[in-house]
């Protein structure tokens, strides 16, 4: 159910699954995310990278291992607001294209 909602705001199915796994697990390794999500290793790493770019996931290195952490769910509002700002900026140009 939550996956669908996250997909509706612009995350992919895989990104949604990884983000939700991280919320459940807390700070954890990619291996644990793979186990929790049931996804292939490469898809988890791709999703982690994209979620980091979006500011929804961060990591720290402990004992030569990366531990990933989901940002607080409130950060999703920042993500949506950033998209809204972009649309607001390009809206005048889009309206000019209208016939």
């Amino acid at each position: 159910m939550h996956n669908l909602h996250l997909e509706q705001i612009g995350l992919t199915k895989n990104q949604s699954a990884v983000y939700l796994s991280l919320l459940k697990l807390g700070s954890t390794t990619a291996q644990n995310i793979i186990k929790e999500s049931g996804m292939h290793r490469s898809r988890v790493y791709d999703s982690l990278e994209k979620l980091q770019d979006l500011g929804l996931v961060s990591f720290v290195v402990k004992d030569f291992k990366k531990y990933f952490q989901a940002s607080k769910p409130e950060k999703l509002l920042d993500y949506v607001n950033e998209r809204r700002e972009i649309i607001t900026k390009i809206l005048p140009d889009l309206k000019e294209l209208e016939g």
Side-chain angles (χ1 to χ4, degrees), residues 1-89:
M1 182 76 155
H2 297 294
N3 283 38
L4 178 61
H5 294 279
L6 292 174
E7 289 173 43
Q8 288 174 333
I9 66 165
L11 297 182
T12 66
K13 182 179 178 181
N14 291 341
Q15 290 165 359
S16 298
V18 168
Y19 183 75
L20 292 172
S21 293
L22 275 170
L23 284 177
K24 290 178 193 172
L25 297 170
S27 182
T28 191
T29 63
Q31 188 63 37
N32 289 335
I33 300 166
I34 292 165
K35 288 177 189 173
E36 173 69 25
S37 67
M39 293 170 44
H40 188 273
R41 179 182 186 276
S42 64
R43 291 180 191 240
V44 168
Y45 278 104
D46 288 345
S47 296
L48 284 168
E49 185 176 325
K50 183 61 177 169
L51 289 166
Q52 287 174 60
D53 292 343
L54 296 174
L56 298 175
V57 168
S58 60
F59 71 89
V60 295
V61 178
K62 298 181 202 170
D63 300 324
F64 305 103
K65 277 189 169 183
K66 276 188 180 182
Y67 285 80
F68 297 92
Q69 175 78 45
S71 298
K72 297 286 183 196
E74 293 82 6
K75 182 71 175 165
L76 291 169
L77 289 173
D78 293 340
Y79 168 70
V80 171
N81 288 332
E82 287 172 16
R83 296 182 82 176
R84 183 181 182 89
E85 287 177 22
I86 291 168
I87 293 169
T88 302
K89 286 179 185 176

